Amino acid sequence: MGLLLGNAQREAAKEGNASAKDALKNLGRVYLHNRDVCAQEAVYRLTNMHPKECSRKVVFVPVGDNVVKMSLPLRVLKQKAASGNLTTEDMWMPSGVDRYKNRPNDGSFNDMCIVTFASEYRVLSKNEKSANRIKLNNDLGFVLKRTRSQPAVMRYVHFSETKNPELFYQSILQLFMLYRKDVQLKPPGFETYQQFYSGGSVRLADGLLHSVKSVVDLNRSKFEHDADELDTIQNAADNDGVLEDAWCELCPEQELEHLECNQLGRDEEQVLDEQIENIPDLGVSREQVAHLEKRNNIMCRSDGLALLRSLNEPQMCIFYEIRNWCLQKVMGGGSQTHYVFSLQVVQGQVKAI
């Protein structure tokens, strides 16, 4: 990062005409568009490995009136504008909602909501070829049923039924109601989405009329389990905060047993400390106790001989001096402690070892 910022500063100084504000913008642009990566991430990126992987795909379904759309590339927009074919509707890339509205006209897709469609089917890229691909209407490409993996996990915005009732009913109709045009979510004669949800009806592929509420609730139950209870808990947590002693209220007997075990452990430690203080040989502070760690790695004979051959004359003398003391100590002789003092000249200076 320092090299990049330094290069950007030198480039700004070479131009000469750049003001301090422009130079600072260039430095900020370099800083925001570059970052350091660790060695592990660099290896992952160089080998085209996935930094993260999920067992299921996650698909987000937008809801509401002002849905975010992605525009076509600037090159395509310029070509359409030059030919006079650019309109406000043709300047956007097709979204998942557009593909759902242009699903095939058969029984299985007619009774399918957008959540089921996005969960069980994926968009087929232009380079992929499959004999089981399904063509969408209006040349919006192809989709393929997810057979190698499980259905995708769906994500969408949740609105409060009490605080924003109109947005709540609009969102659940968009998610769990079958439609091909937005006007079908609030047909003429219904002023609000809630009225259509409560009193509307829709004809399915079986030719019978079904209430909108039954269709939406059935599709919603497949993807949301205990949604109302979870919303109530979330609202209570947001309003009242998280109870730190909630476990004590749920399981008071286990919490009491846990506290008694902790108290018993503290009492045993106190008794052990008192016994140690009464024994002079064991009454040693923790700061004076050394920690010994046994190393299991043993050097083989060939490596040891090669290491000995690489020693110089002073190092060889010290090695054999310590070796003879160890042999005498094992045989029951030798002094209790053994000190070795050596002088070494390093770059004209004498150092004691």
Side-chain angles (χ1 to χ4, degrees), residues 3 11-12 32-33 41 43 56 67 90 124 135 143 187 206 215 219 228 233 257 272 290 303-304 307 313 347:
L3 293 175
E11 291 294 333
L32 292 176
H33 289 79
E41 184 179 355
V43 172
R56 288 193 181 188
V67 177
D90 297 336
L124 203 65
K135 185 178 181 181
V143 294
D206 56 5
V215 175
N219 292 329
D228 298 334
I233 296 173
E257 182 180 356
L272 184 60
D303 294 341
L307 186 60
E313 185 175 355
Q347 296 180 357

Side-chain angles (χ1 to χ4, degrees), residues 177-194:
M177 182 63 186
L178 47 101
Y179 68 99
R180 293 184 182 272
K181 296 181 180 180
D182 293 335
V183 69
Q184 295 177 349
L185 298 176
K186 190 171 62 174
F190 297 93
E191 296 182 359
T192 62
Y193 293 100
Q194 183 177 0

